[in-house]
């Protein structure tokens, strides 16, 4: 529990850090204005591209050639190759060769938009623009390549109002804004290709659903449009491609998945502590491992240190800075709540070599090409196989470079998670990515967008929406309900602000109210986050965004750490948190909602197998046999496994371990399905409900990624009710949705989930001209609407309320995964053990419950008191 100790941080930042993180001055392009003489000898676009590759010292890979040929044949496709293998040019040079052909081989004739490049990350649009401009400029092509995001200058925007460039790089949100233009159809009428980057990350969210609807709109205007996406390795690539291209028409060309047999090995390793006693049984910060991490850091080797949460990133940045103050000039912190300008300075410093060590969250594990990075560390378990492979790919980001990630366990069980991730990746057991089915809030927003962008007729729009994969089963009744929501406001028709779309005399639906149009454009998008406030110095210099809930508990003068700095809270002014630099130290770190990632289903299955292998290694070791085949993780976890075996049982992969324990706190039931905290939360509530139907009782609940705990302060017959014969009755999927809804306060959870749905659907507006609502104001507004709808138009009649309940089940309990878990547990071999003491598996659950309680004692003090009681 050493991680609860204060961290002492040097007070004054070094000037060198500020100098090295300054944005580098823009350099004029050195590309020749005309094609080099070597390229002018080649007449066909393909010959010129081949010659350009040769001039770079590159080889055209076979997968790139296949992608270009497929594009020429009129096909859409998905390029799925390892990171750094050349996906961007595989997707882009096919359209570029088409532009060269159509423009008289030199592409000198300027025309309208030909290729639209969509990236989910606005921060990388500049890098993408430079990458696409490189072949254009070096081959002397008169093709205008520009970006359009929230950062685009007003001069460029003004030029794009008249005519879009030949190639446009944008985000899903900016694309939707373009679709609200009255002349949207004219702007896009010459579009021939859409390229979507990081499709595996985009398609699983509502941003992916909005992108699907936008693509359907573009296809209705440009029937020959081809769509190409780039993706990391996923097992369901064909399904991801189907989401991209939508429901194919009768004349559609077949879509293809382009894969590559590119040797880019991925090595997933563990940082084994020099002293295993420093690895606790519980915890997620992992600062006990600081000496081992410091030993692997060297400013001469550019390194990314990934963490799973922003709070963890803040703590580790401070810890490394205190241990090695001489590194502060070349260290930086990067996460999504830090101000964008600061993040861009860090990214520029990492590329230029001024910044050598960056502590970061997932804000740096997608899209950005940091070729100088040579080493990647992952603090804590990656929680998912695809995630750790993605982060490993940030190192040696080039063709043929090996991807290596060193995982730093924060507690002993995470050694086995790393073992599980490595073994699962070796057999190709990666997590599938699936699209969100029929989110009606996204559809409602899209209808207003299309009504602004030239208008639509209902029948044609219904047919168009059903060409998307996510809405292919949408019924006319559901469509008409969404249409009535944006035209009449549903049961809110008495309030004019909800009647945003009107049906004109020509049966075309349009937005005629300028105020409604303005508000829609200001609030367009599907990104919804936790309640946050802007934070800045009294001088006005922005630092980023901080969670409202954390700020609510701060007192004036109270210190906290943010963006790698020790700050003192001054107050809140105009919805902005004002702070000032503070001397001294503190461990008071902001907590951001929704940052505790659960282990994925694939990793959970791998963990169960790793436990079984670890138990076999320990058994053979105790028997005096040689265990040369054991991995370093299995050897290092030997003491943990031996203790678990001695005090209880190490479950096999096909077993369900149930521990029954009586302490001074009460009677404990522990189950260990190893399915992740979200599934366990739903399973714990479900099991508590089903047990109480047999025998009334009141339970405290705790969950983590490995199991769940039910605690009764009075004697409860867990052992009598949960016997092998009755276990399938408690694990049945029959009546699952109804039982889950009954086991939790579904109305309250749906009320909270409705805030984001109402925001996307346009029922509440966070942004107004010159003003912004806080998260609490939004919650109050959406809560009031929820109560009105729940009383006068309850589900299942109100489809948005029904969606809120469905999202609660899916988001908070992973309903479909929980159903599969119940089916597996019903077949599992139950192993019921009565233990005298808490075990290595049950102890972390008690820590989780104790840490969540409000107490004047620190968690460390309370745990020490509990341990003393257990030893009495």
């Amino acid at each position: 529990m050493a991680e609860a100790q204060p961290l002492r941080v040097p007070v004054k930042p070094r000037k060198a850090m500020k100098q090295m993180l300054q944005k580098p001055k823009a350099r004029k392009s050195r590309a020749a204005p005309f094609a080099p003489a070597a390229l002018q000898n080649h007449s066909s676009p393909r010959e010129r591209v081949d010659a350009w590759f040769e001039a770079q010292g590159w080889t055209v890979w076979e997968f790139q050639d296949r992608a270009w040929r497929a594009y020429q044949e009129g096909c859409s496709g998905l390029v799925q190759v390892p990171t750094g293998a050349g996906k961007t040019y595989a997707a882009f040079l096919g359209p570029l060769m088409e532009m060269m052909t159509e423009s008289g081989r030199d592409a000198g004739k300027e025309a309208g938009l030909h290729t639209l490049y969509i990236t989910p990350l606005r921060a990388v649009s500049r890098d993408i623009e430079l990458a696409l401009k490189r072949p254009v400029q070096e081959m002397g092509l008169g093709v205008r390549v520009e970006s359009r995001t929230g950062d685009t200058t007003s001069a460029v925007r003004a030029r794009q109002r008249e005519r879009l460039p030949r190639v446009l790089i944008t985000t899903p949100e900016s694309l939707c804004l373009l679709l609200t233009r009255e002349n949207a159809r004219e702007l896009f009428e010459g579009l021939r290709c859409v390229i979507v980057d990081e499709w595996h990350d985009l398609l699983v969210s509502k941003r992916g659903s909005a992108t699907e609807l936008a693509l359907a709109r573009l296809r209705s205007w440009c029937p020959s449009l081809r769509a190409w996406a780039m993706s990391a390795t996923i097992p369901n690539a064909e399904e991801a491609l189907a989401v991209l291209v939508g429901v194919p028409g009768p004349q559609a060309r077949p879509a293809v998945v382009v894969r590559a047999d590119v040797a880019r090995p991925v090595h997933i390793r563990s940082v084994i502590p020099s002293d295993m006693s420093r690895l606790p049984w519980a915890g997620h910060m992992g600062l006990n491992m600081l000496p081992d991490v410091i030993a692997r850091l060297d400013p001469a080797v550019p390194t990314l240190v990934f963490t799973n949460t922003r709070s963890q990133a803040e703590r580790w940045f401070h810890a490394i800075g205190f241990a090695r103050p001489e590194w502060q000039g070349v260290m930086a912190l990067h996460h999504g709540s830090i101000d964008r300008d600061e993040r861009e300075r860090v990214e520029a410093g990492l590329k230029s070599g001024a910044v050598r060590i960056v502590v970061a969250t997932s804000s740096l594990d997608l899209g950005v090409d940091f070729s100088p990075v040579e080493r990647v560390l992952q603090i804590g378990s990656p929680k998912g196989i695809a995630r750790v492979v993605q982060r490993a790919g940030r190192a040696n980001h080039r063709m043929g470079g090996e991807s290596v990630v060193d995982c730093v366990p924060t507690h002993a069980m995470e050694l086995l998670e790393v073992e599980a991730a490595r073994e699962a990746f070796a057999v190709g057991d990666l997590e599938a990515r699936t699209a969100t089915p029929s989110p009606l809030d996204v559809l409602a927003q899209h209808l207003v967008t299309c009504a602004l962008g030239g208008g639509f007729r209902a029948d044609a729009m219904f047919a168009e929406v059903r060409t998307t994969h996510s809405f292919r089963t949408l019924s006319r009744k559901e469509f008409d309900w969404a249409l009535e929501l944006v035209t009449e406001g549903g049961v809110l028709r008495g309030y004019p602000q909800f009647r945003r779309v009107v049906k004109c005399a020509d049966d075309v639906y349009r937005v005629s109210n300028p105020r409604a149009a303005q508000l829609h454009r200001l609030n367009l998008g599907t990104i919804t986050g936790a309640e946050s406030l802007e934070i800045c110095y009294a001088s006005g210099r922005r630092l980023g965004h901080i969670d409202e809930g954390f700020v609510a508990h701060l007192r004036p003068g109270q210190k906290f750490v943010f963006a790698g700095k020790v700050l003192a809270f001054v107050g809140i002014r105009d919805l902005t948190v004002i702070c000032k630099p503070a001397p001294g130290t503190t461990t008071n770190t902001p907590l951001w909602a929704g940052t505790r990632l659960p282990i994925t289903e694939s990793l959970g299955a791998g963990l169960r197998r790793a436990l079984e292998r670890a138990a076999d290694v320990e058994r053979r070791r105790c028997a005096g046999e040689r265990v040369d085949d054991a991995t370093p993780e299995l050897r290092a976890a030997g003491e943990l496994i031996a203790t678990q075996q001695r005090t209880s049982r190490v479950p096999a992969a096909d077993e369900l371990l149930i521990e029954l324990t009586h302490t001074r706190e009460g009677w404990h039931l522990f189950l260990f399905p190893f399915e992740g905290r979200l599934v366990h939360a739903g399973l714990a509530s479900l099991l508590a409900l089903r047990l109480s139907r047999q025998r009334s009782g009141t339970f405290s609940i705790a969950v983590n990624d490995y199991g769940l705990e039910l605690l009764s302060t009075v004697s409860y017959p867990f052992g009598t009710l949960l016997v092998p014969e009755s276990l399938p009755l408690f694990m049945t999927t029959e009546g699952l949705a109804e039982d889950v809804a009954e086991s939790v306060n579904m109305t309250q959870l749906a009320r909270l989930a409705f805030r984001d749905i109402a925001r996307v659907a346009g029922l509440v507006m966070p942004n107004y001209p010159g003003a912004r609502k806080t998260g609490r104001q939004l919650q109050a507004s959406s809560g009031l609407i929820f109560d009105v709808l729940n009383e006068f138009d309850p589900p299942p009649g109100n489809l948005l309320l029904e969606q809120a309940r469905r999202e609660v089940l899916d988001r908070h309990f992973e309903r479909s995964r929980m159903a599969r878990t119940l089916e597996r547990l019903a077949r599992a071999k139950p192993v019921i053990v009565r233990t005298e003491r808490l075990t290595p598996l049950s102890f972390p659950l008690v820590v989780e419950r104790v840490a969540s309680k409000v107490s004047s004692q620190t968690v460390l003090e309370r745990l020490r008191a509990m341990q003393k009681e257990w030893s009495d």
Side-chain angles (χ1 to χ4, degrees):
M1 306 304 295
E3 58 191 35
Q5 296 175 359
L7 298 174
R8 295 178 295 278
V9 185
V11 177
K12 296 182 179 180
R14 299 194 171 199
K15 292 183 179 179
M17 183 63 173
K18 294 183 178 180
Q19 295 171 351
M20 290 181 177
L21 295 186
Q22 292 297 318
K23 277 187 176 179
K25 294 182 179 179
R27 296 181 179 178
K28 294 183 179 179
S29 174
R30 297 182 179 178
F34 301 101
L39 297 184
Q40 293 179 357
N41 297 326
H42 301 277
S43 57
S44 75
R46 177 57 193 268
E47 288 176 344
R48 299 182 73 177
V49 168
D50 288 343
W52 180 72
F53 261 68
E54 185 178 351
Q56 312 303 315
W58 299 341
T59 300
V60 175
W61 294 96
E62 191 269 341
F63 78 88
Q64 293 172 325
D65 179 74
R66 279 191 287 122
W68 300 341
R69 292 181 184 275
Y71 181 84
Q72 288 176 338
E73 293 169 1
C75 298
S76 296
L78 175 71
V79 180
Q80 181 177 262
V81 296
T83 300
K87 291 193 294 288
T88 301
Y89 288 145
F92 175 64
L93 291 186
L96 183 61
M97 284 186 273
E98 183 177 58
M99 284 181 261
M100 294 164 66
T101 301
E102 293 177 350
S103 301
R105 302 191 183 280
D106 63 355
K109 179 183 177 182
E110 182 59 49
L113 180 65
H114 178 284
T115 297
L116 182 68
Y117 191 114
I118 301 173
T119 171
L121 299 172
R122 180 174 64 181
V124 304
S125 61
R126 177 60 179 164
D127 290 338
I128 294 170
E129 182 179 341
L130 293 175
L132 302 191
K133 280 182 174 179
R134 182 176 177 183
V136 168
Q137 293 176 340
E138 293 183 4
M139 285 192 283
L141 306 177
V143 173
R144 185 155 57 101
V145 180
E146 292 179 349
S147 298
R148 186 182 182 91
T149 68
D151 301 328
T152 303
T153 64
S154 58
V156 173
R157 287 175 180 272
R159 183 170 68 244
Q160 292 174 355
R161 288 192 190 99
E162 300 301 323
R163 182 183 291 274
L164 291 176
R166 201 74 168 124
V167 180
L168 180 67
I169 300 119
T170 191
T171 61
E173 292 72 29
S174 291
L175 171 59
C176 291
L177 270 174
L178 286 172
L179 292 178
T180 66
R181 300 272 298 274
E182 182 66 30
N183 64 336
R185 183 164 189 160
E186 289 74 18
L187 286 174
F188 289 100
E189 63 181 357
L191 184 65
R192 304 293 294 276
C193 178
V194 174
I195 300 172
V196 187
D197 202 0
E198 304 291 353
W199 181 235
H200 61 284
D201 187 67
L202 190 58
L203 72 88
V204 297
S205 66
K206 289 182 180 180
R207 296 182 79 199
S209 302
T211 303
E212 285 186 74
L213 290 170
L215 290 177
R217 190 67 170 157
L218 295 176
R219 287 192 190 96
S220 71
W221 295 337
C222 312
S224 61
L225 181 68
R226 282 155 287 180
W228 281 78
M230 292 172 284
S231 171
T233 302
I234 52 176
N236 59 329
E238 283 74 15
E239 180 182 352
L241 176 60
V243 177
L244 174 73
V245 300
V247 180
Q251 305 299 322
R253 300 280 298 177
V256 296
V257 176
V258 177
R259 296 183 175 90
D261 186 16
V262 178
R264 190 157 192 260
V266 176
H267 302 286
I268 303 172
R269 309 182 304 202
S270 292
V271 177
I272 308 295
S274 53
D275 180 4
M276 280 298 297
S277 65
R278 286 194 286 105
L279 262 188
W281 285 359
H284 72 280
M285 281 294 174
L287 292 172
N288 310 68
M289 293 291 290
L290 181 61
D292 301 276
V293 171
I294 293 294
R296 281 165 174 77
L297 294 178
D298 182 352
V301 181
T303 303
L304 292 179
V305 181
F306 281 113
T307 66
N308 289 333
T309 70
R310 284 165 282 184
S311 300
Q312 196 178 33
E314 293 275 0
R315 293 290 301 278
W316 270 92
F317 179 76
H318 275 277
I320 296 172
F322 171 69
R324 289 290 187 271
E326 67 275 16
W327 291 354
Q328 288 204 4
V330 294
M331 280 182 57
L333 178 65
H334 193 290
H335 61 69
S337 291
I338 294 176
D339 183 65
R340 185 180 69 249
D341 289 342
E342 181 68 19
R343 296 200 306 268
E344 289 180 354
R345 281 193 289 270
V346 173
E347 293 164 13
L350 190 57
K351 291 179 181 179
S352 68
V355 177
R356 314 292 289 175
I357 299 172
V358 177
V359 182
T361 60
S362 57
S363 58
L364 274 187
D365 70 1
L366 283 177
V368 186
D369 180 6
F370 295 119
S371 299
V373 173
E374 298 178 20
R375 181 176 296 166
V376 170
L377 273 70
Q378 163 68 42
I379 304 297
S381 163
K383 301 301 178 184
I385 299 150
R387 184 178 298 112
V388 71
V389 173
Q390 179 76 32
R391 293 183 173 182
R394 295 300 100 195
N396 298 314
H397 191 274
R398 58 185 178 271
M399 182 67 80
E402 291 190 350
S403 298
V404 180
V405 58
D406 291 317
C407 298
V408 181
T410 62
H411 56 79
M413 275 294 292
E414 285 192 344
L415 287 167
L416 297 180
E417 289 191 46
V418 177
E419 163 84 5
R422 182 173 56 242
E423 293 301 314
F425 176 72
V427 299
D429 187 12
L430 300 179
E431 298 88 2
R433 302 295 182 99
T434 57
T436 304
S438 302
L440 291 184
D441 53 343
V442 179
L443 176 59
Q445 184 181 100
H446 181 70
L447 292 177
V448 181
T449 293
C450 294
L452 276 169
F456 64 87
R457 287 184 168 85
D459 292 343
M461 178 56 65
F462 174 62
E464 178 184 308
V465 167
R466 279 173 56 91
T467 64
T468 67
H469 186 273
S470 292
F471 292 92
R472 65 192 186 281
T473 60
L474 183 77
S475 68
R476 186 57 191 250
K477 180 180 179 181
E478 292 171 324
F479 176 83
D480 289 341
W481 189 93
L483 184 58
E484 183 188 4
L485 179 69
V486 300
T487 55
E488 301 294 335
V491 298
L492 302 173
R493 58 178 51 89
Y495 300 89
Q497 66 266 33
F498 299 115
R499 300 195 296 270
R500 294 165 286 166
V501 177
V502 297
K503 184 178 182 181
C504 301
D506 55 358
D507 291 334
V508 175
Y509 288 86
R510 295 186 175 91
V511 176
S512 59
N513 187 327
R515 174 71 170 175
Q518 181 186 36
L519 289 178
H520 180 76
R521 291 189 175 104
L522 279 174
N523 293 278
L524 192 59
T526 60
I527 299 176
T528 56
E531 304 169 2
S532 63
L533 296 174
E534 187 175 340
I535 177 172
C536 67
Y537 289 130
S539 64
R541 179 189 167 193
R542 295 177 54 191
L543 293 172
H545 290 81
I546 194 168
D547 194 80
E548 280 185 29
F550 176 78
V551 176
H553 298 286
L554 292 178
R555 301 181 304 276
Q558 186 173 359
K559 291 188 292 187
F560 62 98
V561 294
F562 180 81
K565 304 171 179 64
V566 179
L567 307 172
F569 176 65
V570 175
I572 297 179
R573 184 186 310 150
D574 297 329
L575 301 181
T576 300
V577 178
I578 307 300
C579 61
K580 63 182 180 181
T585 64
T586 181
T587 59
N588 189 21
T589 306
L591 297 176
W592 284 270
T595 56
R596 296 293 296 275
L597 299 170
I599 60 173
T600 63
E601 192 166 2
S602 296
L603 187 58
L607 182 56
R608 294 191 294 272
R609 295 191 295 268
L611 272 170
E612 186 171 350
R613 290 197 301 272
D616 179 65
V617 167
E618 185 60 22
R619 177 191 59 77
R620 286 188 288 147
R621 188 190 66 79
C622 292
E625 299 179 19
R626 293 178 61 89
V627 288
D628 296 337
D629 58 333
T631 63
E633 290 82 7
L634 297 182
R635 291 176 181 273
E639 182 180 350
L640 172 82
I641 296 299
T643 304
Q644 178 66 30
Q645 191 70 35
R646 184 173 62 253
T647 56
S648 175
R649 170 77 172 267
V650 177
D654 61 347
E655 293 179 340
L656 171 62
L657 175 62
I658 301 173
E659 292 181 357
L660 304 174
T661 309
H662 180 212
T663 68
R664 294 185 181 182
E665 283 191 294
W667 283 258
H668 306 258
L669 168 68
F670 298 102
L671 270 75
F672 300 100
F674 300 97
E675 287 285 358
R677 61 175 59 246
L678 293 183
V679 171
H680 293 160
L683 188 58
S685 299
L686 180 70
L687 185 57
L689 171 69
R690 291 177 174 178
L691 282 171
S692 64
R693 288 172 178 170
Q694 303 295 321
R695 175 78 174 267
S696 61
T698 302
F699 309 108
S700 297
I701 292 176
V703 299
N704 63 13
D705 277 333
Y706 310 135
L708 60 95
E709 176 201 28
L710 299 184
L711 168 65
S712 174
T713 57
V714 298
S715 178
Y716 191 85
F718 290 120
T720 303
L721 296 176
L722 281 176
V723 294
E725 295 77 17
S726 66
L727 192 63
L729 299 177
F730 288 100
M731 299 301 171
T732 181
T733 58
E734 184 177 349
L736 175 60
E738 294 79 5
D739 282 359
V740 169
E742 183 181 347
S743 66
V744 298
N745 189 344
M746 178 58 73
T747 299
Q748 181 60 28
L749 288 177
R751 195 172 190 268
L752 294 173
F754 185 73
R755 185 191 75 166
D756 290 346
I757 292 174
R759 217 277 304 152
V760 173
L763 298 181
V764 296
M765 303 285 186
N767 298 313
Y768 287 83
R772 184 177 71 90
K773 283 188 176 182
T774 68
R776 293 187 179 185
Q777 289 171 329
L778 282 178
Q779 188 63 60
S781 300
S782 63
L784 180 60
I785 294 175
F786 178 88
D787 292 338
V788 171
L789 297 180
N790 204 36
E791 180 177 356
F792 297 102
D793 188 20
N798 189 293
L799 300 185
L800 287 186
L801 295 186
E802 185 64 21
Q803 179 181 331
R805 295 173 186 272
R806 186 172 66 246
E807 288 189 6
V808 166
L809 293 175
D810 292 338
R811 183 190 310 168
H812 293 277
F813 304 115
E814 295 192 3
R815 176 177 51 174
S816 58
R817 181 177 171 185
M818 189 163 70
R820 294 192 295 272
T821 297
L822 288 171
E823 293 172 354
R824 181 181 67 82
L825 296 182
R827 299 190 306 268
K829 302 173 185 177
V831 179
I832 303 174
V833 182
R834 295 183 181 271
T835 64
E836 297 181 0
R837 293 286 187 272
L838 296 179
T839 67
L841 287 179
S842 61
F843 175 79
L845 283 164
V846 175
V847 172
E848 192 85 25
R849 176 167 44 80
V850 170
S852 65
K853 291 183 178 180
V854 178
S855 171
S856 58
Q857 293 178 286
T858 67
V859 174
L860 181 62
E861 290 170 343
R862 296 195 63 189
L863 288 177
R864 285 173 176 168
M866 292 173 65
Q867 287 175 319
K868 184 176 184 302
E869 292 180 0
W870 297 334
S871 61
D872 289 344

